[in-house]
Amino acid sequence: MPVEQLLRDVGTVAAWAAAALLVGWLSGIVVGRAARRYNRHVLGLLQRRCHKPWMLLLVVWAVYTSMPAEGPLGGTVHQVLLLALIGAAAWMVMGLLYIIEDMLFQRLPMEVRNNRRIRKVRTEIGVLRRLTSAIVAVLAIGTMLMTFAPLRELGTSLLASAGVAGAIAGLAAQTTLRNVLAGLQLALTDQLRLDDVVVVEEEWGRVEELTLTHVVVRLWDERRLMLPTAYFITTPFQNWTRNEARVTGAVLLHLRYTAPVEELRAEARRIVELSPLWDRRDWILQVVDTTPLTMVVRVLASAADAPSSWDLRCEIREQLIAYLRTEHPDALPGLRCDRAQQAAVPVDLSIVTAPERPRRSPHSIPPDG
């Protein structure tokens, strides 16, 4: 009887679906316990990234293979299940790509002193993972569309208008394609990497995220500057960690000509050598410029990275000013007259007379009191 056959088919599909759920649940438990017991990071990644798509893939495959194709709804249900099967498989592949990326990132830690090469490799891996994920998504969507017979039959006629459609799509997606190509160029040519210190749009920050279409720069005050990748191809910008993270900072002081340069140089050396922020490589104090009233003293000191250089510059500036204010206050600039010069200026007392009382106009108003 049709009712009995329907009940039998429903029972078969339910049994297969339950068995698939049981297998997926048990496999997740086994992988999770094995990851905790043997401390395997790969198994933990597998359980976290691929457990859900694996269960969905098992259930959809079980229902698809156990459901009969005959019947009024058999063809439609089979088509929906086939689309779900393709989507689950694409999800599974993307999860595996994330696992590969995480495994490689684990072998390339950022918490090292000189991480230039590591940042370069991590940037390339991240961009390639996003590119392959996009390719997998496009292939999955294309495979889903090819499961429909009308689309396959219309393929020949669509080829005739492919040139026009491609031109229209190219014009519509010109900016996006330019950014994608710029992102690939940035990653593969080592022009920009994750955690690079850059100065863009007169802002200082670090590259926090680099994708195929945009770059996120985390500024020093925790703001985020979003820029398209094409910006870094067409606009000059400063990369302070292009070859190494080491930075030389400069401190400028405007002092009077009476300032003792040699004593100031000795004090600057003492400050730099006692600072833990100095990388023990380079430092110097020089008079680099003059003005009509002051001379410009510059102190250069190297540091391991840009944040350390900033703190070192502030420390040198503060301690040098404190030293000058205590030991040589006359060396600090200021608009004040020298007493010796005041005494040397002759004063003609004959011109110092009492002020003449102003004459009152007949039309003026007399003052009060």
Side-chain angles (χ1 to χ4, degrees):
M1 296 178 63
V3 177
E4 295 178 355
Q5 183 65 30
L6 179 61
L7 293 176
R8 188 181 299 110
D9 293 341
V10 171
T12 303
V13 172
W16 277 92
L21 280 173
L22 181 62
V23 172
W25 178 67
L26 290 176
S27 62
I29 292 179
V30 171
V31 173
R33 288 185 177 179
R36 290 190 296 270
R37 181 175 181 181
Y38 299 104
N39 195 20
R40 298 292 185 180
H41 182 68
V42 178
L43 296 179
L45 291 175
L46 186 65
Q47 199 274 338
R48 186 172 67 253
R49 293 284 190 182
C50 297
H51 185 223
K52 292 180 179 179
W54 170 246
M55 291 189 64
L56 178 63
L57 185 64
L58 286 177
V59 172
V60 174
W61 176 80
V63 174
Y64 178 78
T65 56
S66 62
M67 177 174 288
E70 295 81 8
L73 299 178
T76 304
V77 174
H78 261 258
Q79 183 67 27
V80 174
L81 291 174
L82 181 58
L83 296 178
L85 188 64
I86 296 173
W91 188 11
M92 186 75 176
V93 173
M94 290 182 183
L96 294 175
L97 291 176
Y98 273 103
I99 291 175
I100 296 173
E101 181 187 42
D102 292 339
M103 290 173 56
L104 295 175
F105 281 0
Q106 186 185 11
R107 295 178 176 271
L108 299 169
M110 296 280 289
E111 296 79 15
V112 295
R113 186 173 183 85
N114 189 5
N115 57 1
R116 175 183 173 276
R117 186 186 65 84
I118 294 176
R119 290 187 287 110
K120 174 182 180 297
V121 177
R122 285 175 70 108
T123 303
E124 294 176 352
I125 292 172
V127 171
L128 291 177
R129 197 268 306 159
R130 292 183 179 91
L131 180 61
T132 51
S133 297
I135 294 175
V136 170
V138 171
L139 291 178
I141 295 174
T143 306
M144 290 179 182
L145 294 177
M146 292 303 295
T147 58
F148 295 95
L151 293 180
R152 291 198 302 267
E153 295 174 357
L154 290 175
T156 305
S157 60
L158 289 176
L159 289 176
S161 58
V164 179
I168 296 175
L171 291 175
Q174 182 179 5
T175 303
T176 303
L177 292 177
R178 184 172 68 250
N179 288 329
V180 170
L181 295 177
L184 290 174
Q185 181 177 348
L186 287 176
L188 299 180
T189 59
D190 196 23
Q191 297 184 25
L192 194 67
R193 300 173 297 269
L194 292 174
D195 205 42
D196 265 347
V197 177
V198 295
V199 178
V200 290
E201 297 294 321
E202 299 183 356
E203 296 280 1
W204 182 93
R206 290 181 177 273
V207 177
E208 184 177 54
E209 183 180 354
L210 198 158
T211 67
L212 290 175
T213 57
H214 68 276
V215 177
V216 181
V217 179
R218 177 169 55 86
L219 303 181
W220 64 273
D221 55 358
E222 299 301 327
R223 290 179 295 146
R224 301 301 191 271
L225 183 62
M226 309 288 293
L227 295 170
T229 52
Y231 173 90
F232 295 90
I233 302 299
T234 58
T235 307
F237 67 96
Q238 297 182 35
N239 189 340
W240 288 13
T241 54
R242 176 65 174 83
N243 296 320
E244 59 179 353
R246 178 172 173 264
V247 178
T248 300
V251 176
L252 295 179
L253 297 175
H254 290 261
L255 305 176
R256 302 180 70 186
Y257 287 104
T258 57
V261 178
E262 291 300 329
E263 297 181 16
L264 189 63
R265 181 176 290 112
E267 179 65 16
R269 179 174 183 176
R270 185 190 67 82
I271 295 172
V272 171
E273 290 180 348
L274 291 179
S275 176
L277 300 173
W278 184 46
D279 63 355
R280 304 297 186 269
R281 297 183 67 176
D282 298 327
W283 87 272
I284 193 172
L285 184 146
Q286 293 175 319
V287 178
V288 296
D289 199 1
T290 58
T291 67
L293 297 177
T294 62
M295 60 180 177
V296 182
V297 177
R298 185 180 67 179
V299 183
L300 297 180
S302 58
D305 49 33
S308 300
S309 176
W310 172 266
D311 294 336
L312 179 60
R313 290 164 58 193
C314 294
E315 181 179 344
I316 294 173
R317 187 182 298 111
E318 292 173 1
Q319 296 192 28
L320 283 181
I321 292 176
Y323 168 77
L324 290 171
R325 187 174 61 246
T326 304
E327 303 295 334
H328 303 281
D330 293 337
L332 296 175
L335 296 178
R336 56 179 183 269
C337 297
D338 194 351
R339 293 182 179 179
Q341 293 179 359
Q342 291 180 358
V345 176
V347 180
D348 188 1
L349 298 178
S350 62
I351 63 175
V352 180
T353 58
E356 182 181 359
R357 186 174 182 178
R359 298 179 180 179
R360 182 178 299 177
S361 172
H363 301 287
S364 63
I365 300 174
D368 294 338

PDB file of all heavy atoms in Angstrom, residues 349-369:
ATOM      1  N   LEU A 349      67.959 111.723  32.800  1.00  0.00           N
ATOM      2  CA  LEU A 349      66.921 112.117  33.742  1.00  0.00           C
ATOM      3  C   LEU A 349      66.243 113.423  33.355  1.00  0.00           C
ATOM      4  O   LEU A 349      65.192 113.764  33.912  1.00  0.00           O
ATOM      5  CB  LEU A 349      67.520 112.256  35.149  1.00  0.00           C
ATOM      6  CG  LEU A 349      68.113 110.975  35.729  1.00  0.00           C
ATOM      7  CD1 LEU A 349      68.720 111.262  37.108  1.00  0.00           C
ATOM      8  CD2 LEU A 349      67.057 109.898  35.813  1.00  0.00           C
ATOM      9  N   SER A 350      66.867 114.156  32.424  1.00  0.00           N
ATOM     10  CA  SER A 350      66.278 115.434  32.055  1.00  0.00           C
ATOM     11  C   SER A 350      64.971 115.292  31.300  1.00  0.00           C
ATOM     12  O   SER A 350      64.150 116.195  31.272  1.00  0.00           O
ATOM     13  CB  SER A 350      67.273 116.253  31.221  1.00  0.00           C
ATOM     14  OG  SER A 350      67.573 115.563  30.020  1.00  0.00           O
ATOM     15  N   ILE A 351      64.833 114.115  30.689  1.00  0.00           N
ATOM     16  CA  ILE A 351      63.611 113.938  29.906  1.00  0.00           C
ATOM     17  C   ILE A 351      62.514 113.312  30.738  1.00  0.00           C
ATOM     18  O   ILE A 351      61.397 113.134  30.264  1.00  0.00           O
ATOM     19  CB  ILE A 351      63.891 113.060  28.670  1.00  0.00           C
ATOM     20  CG1 ILE A 351      64.338 111.664  29.124  1.00  0.00           C
ATOM     21  CG2 ILE A 351      64.911 113.722  27.765  1.00  0.00           C
ATOM     22  CD1 ILE A 351      64.508 110.715  27.957  1.00  0.00           C
ATOM     23  N   VAL A 352      62.857 112.961  32.001  1.00  0.00           N
ATOM     24  CA  VAL A 352      61.853 112.357  32.867  1.00  0.00           C
ATOM     25  C   VAL A 352      61.184 113.473  33.632  1.00  0.00           C
ATOM     26  O   VAL A 352      61.767 114.062  34.552  1.00  0.00           O
ATOM     27  CB  VAL A 352      62.484 111.331  33.833  1.00  0.00           C
ATOM     28  CG1 VAL A 352      61.415 110.721  34.720  1.00  0.00           C
ATOM     29  CG2 VAL A 352      63.219 110.275  33.049  1.00  0.00           C
ATOM     30  N   THR A 353      60.059 113.915  33.272  1.00  0.00           N
ATOM     31  CA  THR A 353      59.308 115.002  33.901  1.00  0.00           C
ATOM     32  C   THR A 353      57.946 114.497  34.308  1.00  0.00           C
ATOM     33  O   THR A 353      57.495 113.422  33.886  1.00  0.00           O
ATOM     34  CB  THR A 353      59.177 116.183  32.933  1.00  0.00           C
ATOM     35  OG1 THR A 353      58.522 115.722  31.758  1.00  0.00           O
ATOM     36  CG2 THR A 353      60.561 116.757  32.583  1.00  0.00           C
ATOM     37  N   ALA A 354      57.291 115.283  35.099  1.00  0.00           N
ATOM     38  CA  ALA A 354      55.937 114.905  35.515  1.00  0.00           C
ATOM     39  C   ALA A 354      55.003 114.981  34.332  1.00  0.00           C
ATOM     40  O   ALA A 354      55.128 115.857  33.468  1.00  0.00           O
ATOM     41  CB  ALA A 354      55.472 115.855  36.631  1.00  0.00           C
ATOM     42  N   PRO A 355      54.095 114.117  34.265  1.00  0.00           N
ATOM     43  CA  PRO A 355      53.172 114.142  33.131  1.00  0.00           C
ATOM     44  C   PRO A 355      52.305 115.388  33.157  1.00  0.00           C
ATOM     45  O   PRO A 355      51.864 115.846  34.214  1.00  0.00           O
ATOM     46  CB  PRO A 355      52.336 112.866  33.353  1.00  0.00           C
ATOM     47  CG  PRO A 355      52.423 112.588  34.807  1.00  0.00           C
ATOM     48  CD  PRO A 355      53.800 113.044  35.213  1.00  0.00           C
ATOM     49  N   GLU A 356      52.149 115.945  32.000  1.00  0.00           N
ATOM     50  CA  GLU A 356      51.342 117.156  31.868  1.00  0.00           C
ATOM     51  C   GLU A 356      49.875 116.820  32.044  1.00  0.00           C
ATOM     52  O   GLU A 356      49.367 115.851  31.480  1.00  0.00           O
ATOM     53  CB  GLU A 356      51.595 117.795  30.501  1.00  0.00           C
ATOM     54  CG  GLU A 356      50.828 119.097  30.320  1.00  0.00           C
ATOM     55  CD  GLU A 356      51.088 119.693  28.954  1.00  0.00           C
ATOM     56  OE1 GLU A 356      51.874 119.069  28.191  1.00  0.00           O
ATOM     57  OE2 GLU A 356      50.529 120.747  28.648  1.00  0.00           O
ATOM     58  N   ARG A 357      49.212 117.686  32.858  1.00  0.00           N
ATOM     59  CA  ARG A 357      47.790 117.457  33.089  1.00  0.00           C
ATOM     60  C   ARG A 357      47.004 117.835  31.856  1.00  0.00           C
ATOM     61  O   ARG A 357      47.185 118.933  31.302  1.00  0.00           O
ATOM     62  CB  ARG A 357      47.326 118.298  34.275  1.00  0.00           C
ATOM     63  CG  ARG A 357      45.890 118.001  34.675  1.00  0.00           C
ATOM     64  CD  ARG A 357      45.545 118.751  35.934  1.00  0.00           C
ATOM     65  NE  ARG A 357      44.198 118.433  36.346  1.00  0.00           N
ATOM     66  CZ  ARG A 357      43.623 118.930  37.458  1.00  0.00           C
ATOM     67  NH1 ARG A 357      44.320 119.771  38.248  1.00  0.00           N
ATOM     68  NH2 ARG A 357      42.385 118.599  37.766  1.00  0.00           N
ATOM     69  N   PRO A 358      46.168 116.979  31.381  1.00  0.00           N
ATOM     70  CA  PRO A 358      45.439 117.292  30.149  1.00  0.00           C
ATOM     71  C   PRO A 358      44.447 118.426  30.369  1.00  0.00           C
ATOM     72  O   PRO A 358      43.856 118.565  31.450  1.00  0.00           O
ATOM     73  CB  PRO A 358      44.729 115.974  29.832  1.00  0.00           C
ATOM     74  CG  PRO A 358      44.596 115.294  31.142  1.00  0.00           C
ATOM     75  CD  PRO A 358      45.823 115.683  31.926  1.00  0.00           C
ATOM     76  N   ARG A 359      44.370 119.261  29.346  1.00  0.00           N
ATOM     77  CA  ARG A 359      43.414 120.355  29.386  1.00  0.00           C
ATOM     78  C   ARG A 359      42.004 119.839  29.115  1.00  0.00           C
ATOM     79  O   ARG A 359      41.802 119.000  28.270  1.00  0.00           O
ATOM     80  CB  ARG A 359      43.784 121.432  28.358  1.00  0.00           C
ATOM     81  CG  ARG A 359      45.131 122.062  28.620  1.00  0.00           C
ATOM     82  CD  ARG A 359      45.443 123.099  27.568  1.00  0.00           C
ATOM     83  NE  ARG A 359      46.749 123.719  27.822  1.00  0.00           N
ATOM     84  CZ  ARG A 359      47.261 124.649  27.020  1.00  0.00           C
ATOM     85  NH1 ARG A 359      46.599 125.049  25.924  1.00  0.00           N
ATOM     86  NH2 ARG A 359      48.460 125.171  27.315  1.00  0.00           N
ATOM     87  N   ARG A 360      41.081 120.432  29.897  1.00  0.00           N
ATOM     88  CA  ARG A 360      39.688 119.999  29.764  1.00  0.00           C
ATOM     89  C   ARG A 360      39.005 120.765  28.647  1.00  0.00           C
ATOM     90  O   ARG A 360      39.049 121.984  28.571  1.00  0.00           O
ATOM     91  CB  ARG A 360      38.949 120.222  31.082  1.00  0.00           C
ATOM     92  CG  ARG A 360      37.500 119.752  31.059  1.00  0.00           C
ATOM     93  CD  ARG A 360      36.844 119.966  32.397  1.00  0.00           C
ATOM     94  NE  ARG A 360      37.539 119.191  33.414  1.00  0.00           N
ATOM     95  CZ  ARG A 360      37.194 119.243  34.699  1.00  0.00           C
ATOM     96  NH1 ARG A 360      36.237 120.017  35.113  1.00  0.00           N
ATOM     97  NH2 ARG A 360      37.859 118.497  35.572  1.00  0.00           N
ATOM     98  N   SER A 361      38.382 120.099  27.837  1.00  0.00           N
ATOM     99  CA  SER A 361      37.621 120.697  26.759  1.00  0.00           C
ATOM    100  C   SER A 361      36.315 121.274  27.322  1.00  0.00           C
ATOM    101  O   SER A 361      35.727 120.687  28.236  1.00  0.00           O
ATOM    102  CB  SER A 361      37.338 119.660  25.675  1.00  0.00           C
ATOM    103  OG  SER A 361      36.467 120.185  24.727  1.00  0.00           O
ATOM    104  N   PRO A 362      35.884 122.355  26.775  1.00  0.00           N
ATOM    105  CA  PRO A 362      34.627 122.935  27.286  1.00  0.00           C
ATOM    106  C   PRO A 362      33.446 122.025  27.032  1.00  0.00           C
ATOM    107  O   PRO A 362      32.405 122.167  27.658  1.00  0.00           O
ATOM    108  CB  PRO A 362      34.502 124.261  26.542  1.00  0.00           C
ATOM    109  CG  PRO A 362      35.353 124.083  25.331  1.00  0.00           C
ATOM    110  CD  PRO A 362      36.495 123.197  25.735  1.00  0.00           C
ATOM    111  N   HIS A 363      33.588 121.089  26.134  1.00  0.00           N
ATOM    112  CA  HIS A 363      32.473 120.209  25.811  1.00  0.00           C
ATOM    113  C   HIS A 363      32.629 118.834  26.448  1.00  0.00           C
ATOM    114  O   HIS A 363      31.844 117.943  26.196  1.00  0.00           O
ATOM    115  CB  HIS A 363      32.347 120.022  24.289  1.00  0.00           C
ATOM    116  CG  HIS A 363      32.136 121.316  23.565  1.00  0.00           C
ATOM    117  ND1 HIS A 363      30.947 122.014  23.594  1.00  0.00           N
ATOM    118  CD2 HIS A 363      33.002 122.051  22.805  1.00  0.00           C
ATOM    119  CE1 HIS A 363      31.035 123.119  22.868  1.00  0.00           C
ATOM    120  NE2 HIS A 363      32.291 123.149  22.381  1.00  0.00           N
ATOM    121  N   SER A 364      33.708 118.677  27.277  1.00  0.00           N
ATOM    122  CA  SER A 364      33.915 117.373  27.873  1.00  0.00           C
ATOM    123  C   SER A 364      33.104 117.230  29.130  1.00  0.00           C
ATOM    124  O   SER A 364      32.787 118.203  29.804  1.00  0.00           O
ATOM    125  CB  SER A 364      35.405 117.175  28.163  1.00  0.00           C
ATOM    126  OG  SER A 364      35.833 118.139  29.115  1.00  0.00           O
ATOM    127  N   ILE A 365      32.868 115.969  29.514  1.00  0.00           N
ATOM    128  CA  ILE A 365      32.101 115.683  30.713  1.00  0.00           C
ATOM    129  C   ILE A 365      33.048 115.590  31.857  1.00  0.00           C
ATOM    130  O   ILE A 365      34.057 114.854  31.804  1.00  0.00           O
ATOM    131  CB  ILE A 365      31.308 114.369  30.554  1.00  0.00           C
ATOM    132  CG1 ILE A 365      30.348 114.501  29.373  1.00  0.00           C
ATOM    133  CG2 ILE A 365      30.545 114.022  31.808  1.00  0.00           C
ATOM    134  CD1 ILE A 365      29.636 113.227  29.057  1.00  0.00           C
ATOM    135  N   PRO A 366      32.848 116.313  32.965  1.00  0.00           N
ATOM    136  CA  PRO A 366      33.796 116.253  34.088  1.00  0.00           C
ATOM    137  C   PRO A 366      33.781 114.886  34.720  1.00  0.00           C
ATOM    138  O   PRO A 366      32.730 114.222  34.759  1.00  0.00           O
ATOM    139  CB  PRO A 366      33.255 117.329  35.047  1.00  0.00           C
ATOM    140  CG  PRO A 366      31.810 117.469  34.700  1.00  0.00           C
ATOM    141  CD  PRO A 366      31.718 117.221  33.215  1.00  0.00           C
ATOM    142  N   PRO A 367      34.927 114.432  35.225  1.00  0.00           N
ATOM    143  CA  PRO A 367      34.975 113.115  35.838  1.00  0.00           C
ATOM    144  C   PRO A 367      34.243 113.103  37.161  1.00  0.00           C
ATOM    145  O   PRO A 367      34.054 114.133  37.781  1.00  0.00           O
ATOM    146  CB  PRO A 367      36.484 112.863  36.039  1.00  0.00           C
ATOM    147  CG  PRO A 367      37.054 114.253  36.117  1.00  0.00           C
ATOM    148  CD  PRO A 367      36.226 115.118  35.235  1.00  0.00           C
ATOM    149  N   ASP A 368      33.855 111.891  37.575  1.00  0.00           N
ATOM    150  CA  ASP A 368      33.124 111.758  38.816  1.00  0.00           C
ATOM    151  C   ASP A 368      34.021 112.070  39.978  1.00  0.00           C
ATOM    152  O   ASP A 368      35.163 111.642  40.031  1.00  0.00           O
ATOM    153  CB  ASP A 368      32.585 110.338  38.967  1.00  0.00           C
ATOM    154  CG  ASP A 368      31.522 110.045  37.905  1.00  0.00           C
ATOM    155  OD1 ASP A 368      30.945 110.996  37.387  1.00  0.00           O
ATOM    156  OD2 ASP A 368      31.314 108.858  37.621  1.00  0.00           O
ATOM    157  N   GLY A 369      33.548 112.696  41.029  1.00  0.00           N
ATOM    158  CA  GLY A 369      34.280 113.007  42.240  1.00  0.00           C
ATOM    159  C   GLY A 369      35.153 114.182  42.040  1.00  0.00           C
ATOM    160  O   GLY A 369      35.962 114.500  42.895  1.00  0.00           O
TER     161      GLY A 369
END
